[in-house]
Amino acid sequence: MPGHGRRRARIAFSDAAAKQLENLTSEAEIHALDRALVVISVDPDVGDPIPGDTTGPQLRQYADEIEAVRVLYFVTALRTVVVVAYIEV
């Protein structure tokens, strides 16, 4: 459709990240994480690449110092899904 931007990537969570998500209790933490996930879903390349093994998907890190959030994630080959591996709020 004309006038519409790129589609946002869908967010999925690894088992470890899902468990971390369950432990978030404050509204401020949940809000901060939501904001970070929106940024990542709109532009999956926003995070900095983490050096390491090149055989799998490139692990990236997105950190927002203002919201005090750090998310480690990778993007699937078709760039339609962002898999969150680790959350720090």
Side-chain angles (χ1 to χ4, degrees):
M1 292 184 173
H4 288 225
R6 271 187 351 193
R7 282 181 48 137
R8 289 179 18 180
R10 191 169 57 90
I11 301 289
F13 295 92
S14 69
D15 289 344
K19 189 159 271 316
Q20 291 172 306
L21 189 60
E22 289 174 7
N23 292 329
L24 295 182
T25 55
S26 84
E27 283 291 321
E29 289 175 334
I30 294 167
H31 179 71
L33 178 60
D34 281 346
R35 287 177 50 96
L37 294 177
V38 167
V39 169
I40 294 167
S41 72
V42 169
D43 181 8
D45 294 324
V46 71
D48 298 317
I50 296 176
D53 188 2
T54 58
T55 58
Q58 173 71 60
L59 196 59
R60 302 182 76 83
Q61 169 182 258
Y62 173 76
D64 182 332
E65 286 79 26
I66 294 170
E67 294 283 356
V69 175
R70 183 171 164 241
V71 178
L72 301 183
Y73 66 97
F74 64 90
V75 183
T76 59
L78 295 178
R79 311 202 55 73
T80 57
V81 179
V82 171
V83 179
V84 174
Y86 176 80
I87 301 166
E88 193 174 279
V89 181

